[in-house]
Amino acid sequence: MNILLIGFMGCGKTSLGKKLAKKMDLKFIDLDKIIEQDEQLSVDEIFNSKGEDYFRQLETNWLSNFEGENYVVSLGGGSPCFNDNMGIINSLGTSVYLQMNSGLLTDRLFHSKQKRPLIEKFKNDKPRLILEIEKLLKHRETFYKKANVIFEASNMSAAKLNSLVGLVKNKTNR
Ligand code: S3P
């Protein structure tokens, strides 16, 4: 069984993914990290030096070739939204959309130290940042909502993590 976590930048895919993997005794991987290791560049450097299309192709190539079992995979926020990747994602295991509203996402991204190329230029302008996030989220939710499980991911607690484990097991055992 594999679990694939999708959702907007800043929704907590990586930190929740690690916790979920531990709880379910699965291995954890983060696609951005894999790409950074393979390319020997940060995601930000790849966008700047090789362009977004190149990065999107790397995501699709990786998803198309993934043959692992018993993984929690944290994907990049844009991974499901290009090249019919959502179809591939759903063929690899149980997909979970970690849903969060645009206001909370904006707060989290505004305070984040991580460089994210798509929002870097709005990073110091919160009103503009929220507009960009609202626009992008609206477009992306059409892809995210194709996930097998949609999970509201704000205020994560131990109890909420347990309920996510239950939902994922339920979907996976059908
Ligand atoms: C992106 C999200 C990032 C990273 C890249 C592009 C996106 O990952 O893949 O900066 O298009 O939303 P996170 O969702 O982990 O920030």
Side-chain angles (χ1 to χ4, degrees), residues 115-154:
K115 261 198 167 181
R116 290 181 167 93
L118 292 186
I119 55 165
E120 205 47 34
K121 55 181 184 286
F122 317 117
K123 212 37 207 314
N124 297 319
D125 179 352
K126 206 171 179 190
R128 181 77 197 277
L129 184 63
I130 190 159
L131 289 179
E132 292 301 325
I133 289 175
E134 276 169 356
K135 196 167 72 185
L136 199 52
L137 182 61
K138 189 160 179 256
H139 167 71
R140 288 186 167 182
E141 277 217 307
T142 55
F143 299 93
Y144 296 158
K145 285 185 169 168
K146 293 181 181 155
N148 303 127
V149 175
I150 298 179
F151 188 79
E152 204 287 313
S154 62

Side-chain angles (χ1 to χ4, degrees), residues 80-137:
C81 315
F82 294 84
N83 304 328
D84 193 31
N85 289 348
M86 204 52 219
I88 306 175
I89 290 167
N90 280 337
S91 75
L92 293 174
T94 303
S95 57
V96 179
Y97 169 29
L98 300 178
Q99 192 172 39
M100 204 172 265
N101 70 53
S102 53
L104 182 55
L105 287 168
T106 304
D107 283 341
R108 290 167 64 106
L109 289 166
F110 189 67
H111 292 112
S112 166
K113 301 253 180 303
Q114 198 180 321
K115 261 198 167 181
R116 290 181 167 93
L118 292 186
I119 55 165
E120 205 47 34
K121 55 181 184 286
F122 317 117
K123 212 37 207 314
N124 297 319
D125 179 352
K126 206 171 179 190
R128 181 77 197 277
L129 184 63
I130 190 159
L131 289 179
E132 292 301 325
I133 289 175
E134 276 169 356
K135 196 167 72 185
L136 199 52
L137 182 61

Side-chain angles (χ1 to χ4, degrees), residues 34-87:
I34 290 173
I35 290 177
E36 288 182 333
Q37 281 160 15
D38 288 352
E39 295 291 302
Q40 291 290 299
L41 292 170
S42 69
V43 168
D44 191 53
E45 287 166 343
I46 299 171
F47 267 68
N48 289 329
S49 64
K50 304 191 173 179
E52 180 174 354
D53 288 353
Y54 179 83
F55 177 77
R56 299 302 174 199
Q57 201 51 54
L58 294 178
E59 291 182 308
T60 302
N61 292 349
W62 188 85
L63 285 166
S64 308
N65 292 313
F66 183 63
E67 290 181 337
E69 268 301 327
N70 301 323
Y71 279 92
V72 173
V73 186
S74 255
L75 297 173
S79 311
C81 315
F82 294 84
N83 304 328
D84 193 31
N85 289 348
M86 204 52 219

